[in-house]
Amino acid sequence: MPNTLIFVDLASDDPSAAGRFYAELFGWQNDARPEGVYHRMVPGGFFLNKDGSESAIGNLHLGIFDAANARPHPDPAGVGPRTLSTDGRKPRIWILIGDDDSADRILAAAEKLGATILWRDHYWSEFNGYNHAFADPWGNEIVLWGKAGENPQIPDSFTRE
């Protein structure tokens, strides 16, 4: 059995606010464990099979931790650094746009909630998908992915690679 990815965490200097941001933006459950220290974002539902039916595999969760004292750690005071990373590249989180949602709605809502739009309307042929990106109010980069499907009709306004 291979080692399995089970969770990805985002840093925030206000996990409660970040939990509210993602709950409002994507409709995810904001599971504070405990409030303000660590928030587990639960999208609900299951990965789909090729025929569209739900598989037995639940959708992945996302964690939000307090950059001032990332838990868990053996020392109750945690370990440094204790601030958000502001320079250089950081991990990116990819979110598949649901069939009943749109990049335009998500980007507009993200911007209204304090996010910065990084780019929009790009087609990546290697993985046959439309993508758009924003930085949340804590500097975490979120890439939205839209399935292009068979024989995609890429709008002329989209950049491509």
Side-chain angles (χ1 to χ4, degrees):
M1 169 117 182
N3 297 318
T4 304
L5 174 67
I6 60 167
F7 231 78
V8 174
D9 287 341
L10 296 178
S12 172
D13 57 5
D14 188 345
S16 297
R20 289 189 303 272
F21 175 89
Y22 284 101
E24 185 171 337
L25 184 61
F26 292 122
W28 296 343
Q29 177 187 347
N30 179 7
D31 183 18
R33 302 183 69 165
E35 175 71 37
V37 175
Y38 189 87
H39 288 242
R40 180 178 70 159
M41 304 310 299
V42 183
F46 294 86
F47 281 99
L48 299 179
N49 294 313
K50 286 188 177 191
D51 67 1
S53 63
E54 287 190 344
S55 73
I57 303 168
N59 282 317
L60 302 176
H61 297 174
L62 177 75
I64 301 171
F65 69 94
D66 186 352
N69 189 351
R71 308 307 313 156
H73 191 275
D75 180 347
V79 66
R82 297 180 185 285
T83 59
L84 296 173
S85 175
T86 57
D87 295 328
R89 270 281 161 216
K90 296 185 278 182
R92 299 183 301 172
I93 306 303
W94 294 73
I95 305 293
L96 178 63
I97 300 166
D99 292 340
D100 60 348
D101 207 346
S102 72
D104 288 338
R105 192 227 40 101
I106 295 169
L107 291 170
E111 195 168 34
K112 179 181 172 197
L113 293 168
T116 301
I117 305 304
L118 300 174
W119 81 81
R120 60 174 66 231
D121 301 341
H122 182 73
Y123 174 73
W124 194 9
S125 63
E126 184 67 27
F127 293 99
N128 189 28
Y130 304 116
N131 51 82
H132 324 265
F134 64 87
D136 73 11
W138 303 274
N140 298 297
E141 189 172 336
I142 309 299
V143 180
L144 302 176
W145 186 266
K147 298 179 220 172
E150 279 190 48
N151 303 313
Q153 302 299 309
I154 298 106
D156 290 338
S157 60
F158 275 50
T159 55
R160 305 157 193 245
E161 68 179 284

